[in-house]
Amino acid sequence: MEKKDILKKTTAMNLWLRIMIGGFLVYQAYSIGIGLKNTTGNDTLILGAAVVLFALAGGVIVVWSVYRLIKRDYYDPILDDDSDDDSEQDSE
């Protein structure tokens, strides 16, 4: 695998970090949403928009990362390097 191909893919650890970050965004949306009942006027609109933005962004990040983990669409240095070595030995 060329270096450019490796840089385009992410590792499983990066996907797990993205899941945690997405979960944190969803948690923040929930925390802000709980406090919405104590706000008035424009604050309600601004915080409501923040809740929607954080919840959507966090949800998309989590779902996309879990999907890539399930499909194994990530760079695994151990497995990918072994398969490259085998193919190089076969071609010689």
Side-chain angles (χ1 to χ4, degrees):
M1 180 175 284
E2 291 184 22
K3 189 172 185 177
K4 290 181 182 179
D5 293 336
I6 293 171
L7 294 177
K8 289 181 183 177
K9 289 203 167 219
T10 187
T11 61
M13 181 58 71
N14 285 342
L15 291 174
W16 281 109
L17 287 172
R18 290 177 188 176
I19 290 170
M20 286 187 268
I21 290 169
F24 181 72
L25 286 174
V26 171
Y27 168 74
Q28 287 298 320
Y30 175 76
S31 297
I32 294 170
I34 293 295
L36 271 177
K37 58 186 164 191
N38 298 332
T39 61
T40 59
N42 286 340
D43 291 342
T44 304
L45 292 174
I46 293 169
L47 291 175
V51 166
V52 170
L53 180 67
F54 284 10
L56 283 176
V60 167
I61 290 170
V62 168
V63 169
W64 183 249
S65 297
V66 168
Y67 173 78
R68 288 186 65 185
L69 277 173
I70 291 171
K71 292 290 186 178
R72 295 186 187 258
D73 183 24
Y74 55 86
Y75 174 67
D76 188 356
I78 296 170
L79 296 177
D80 291 347
D81 287 344
D82 289 344
S83 63
D84 288 343
D85 292 340
D86 293 341
S87 64
E88 288 175 7
Q89 290 174 358
D90 292 340
S91 64
E92 289 179 359

